[in-house]
Amino acid sequence: MSLRLGDIAPNFQAQTTAGDIDFYEYLGDGWGVLFSHPADYTPVCTTELGKTALLQEEFAKRNVKVLALSVDPLDKHKGWVNDINETQNVNVGFPIIADQDKSIANAYGMIHPNASETFTVRSLFVIGPDKKVKLMITYPASTGRNFYEVLRVIDSLQLTANYSVATPADWQEGQDVIVVTSVSTEDAIKKFPKGVNVVKPYLRYTPQPNK
Ligand code: BEZ
């Protein structure tokens, strides 16, 4: 059975470009992003890891630790990191897991045999401090992911974990949010002193409460 939202993310021990790690120990009490790519020394993957490296500070600001994974061996990862740093003008500072026996890829359902028998697809998991899966996305090998979207979802996840709100389509940090339907309008007015705009009884907006 593959992982689903709300499931506990499996722990694992792994060899990485930053040394051997225990996943849970590495995450500590913070958030995690674990993402797979099909193979080292491939063009789209090079840009994806470059973009992630460029956004390292943005992930750190949100208390998110990032880990990449492919089924290629460690020495190949290490050589490829030099290429990523050179061509993307970055300094990859996050671990890349060498999952040669595919044990992590299998535990997380990162191999989709009808897409490729051997390589991981572009899977990405956001894991919360409770070690539960908060977001899962899957892209094909031919399409690089949008890491600003990953940050946007993390902003939403961290906000909605702490307030009785949800975020509307295309929401960006700082924009109005939606009051969850389990909160009555009367209670919402008390909870959200910046104001509640009632468009419909089920559609109520309030300014982002933590801004
Ligand atoms: C790439 O990263 O460019 C790539 C990897 C595997 C298959 C196709 C493209």
Side-chain angles (χ1 to χ4, degrees):
M1 174 84 119
S2 56
L3 276 181
R4 296 183 181 175
L5 293 185
D7 289 354
I8 296 286
N11 193 24
F12 55 80
Q13 288 72 42
Q15 274 194 324
T16 84
T17 49
D20 291 353
I21 61 153
D22 174 279
F23 185 48
Y24 280 10
E25 273 177 24
Y26 181 74
L27 293 182
D29 294 332
W31 292 69
V33 168
L34 173 66
F35 70 111
S36 58
H37 56 273
D40 297 357
Y41 293 105
T42 51
V44 176
C45 300
T46 300
T47 62
E48 282 197 326
L49 270 70
K51 182 58 80 168
T52 307
L54 202 71
L55 294 173
Q56 279 166 139
E57 272 184 31
E58 290 299 319
F59 285 105
K61 261 197 320 209
R62 291 162 175 82
N63 195 23
V64 178
K65 288 201 172 138
V66 174
L67 299 100
L69 174 150
S70 86
V71 299
D72 283 326
L74 195 56
D75 56 343
K76 204 167 174 188
H77 283 352
K78 286 183 175 165
W80 181 44
V81 163
N82 295 331
D83 278 12
I84 299 169
N85 289 342
E86 177 198 327
T87 62
Q88 310 301 300
N89 201 21
V90 293
N91 186 6
V92 172
F94 53 86
I96 307 176
I97 297 168
D99 187 30
Q100 270 187 278
D101 68 1
K102 301 182 180 152
S103 57
I104 304 166
N106 285 325
Y108 279 80
M110 292 166 166
I111 295 180
H112 296 209
N114 291 325
S116 165
E117 285 285 351
T118 45
F119 297 130
T120 43
V121 293
R122 298 189 195 282
S123 296
L124 184 147
F125 298 85
V126 174
I127 292 144
D130 56 3
K131 306 293 182 288
K132 289 186 180 168
V133 176
K134 307 294 183 187
L135 172 76
M136 301 166 57
I137 60 170
T138 309
Y139 275 42
S142 52
T143 306
R145 287 158 284 197
N146 183 331
F147 289 88
Y148 295 105
E149 170 63 2
V150 176
L151 288 169
R152 191 190 75 89
V153 179
I154 290 168
D155 285 340
S156 171
L157 287 168
Q158 294 185 341
L159 175 70
T160 60
N162 290 314
Y163 296 89
S164 303
V165 298
T167 57
D170 297 335
W171 174 83
Q172 296 287 345
E173 179 77 7
Q175 293 178 348
D176 287 358
V177 298
I178 287 171
V179 179
V180 295
T181 51
S182 56
V183 176
S184 69
T185 297
E186 192 187 354
D187 286 346
I189 290 163
K190 289 184 209 142
K191 255 181 196 280
F192 302 110
K194 290 180 193 162
V196 177
N197 172 19
V198 182
V199 179
K200 291 279 181 189
Y202 60 86
L203 178 60
R204 297 151 312 161
Y205 291 91
T206 189
Q208 185 173 332
N210 63 346
K211 280 277 154 185

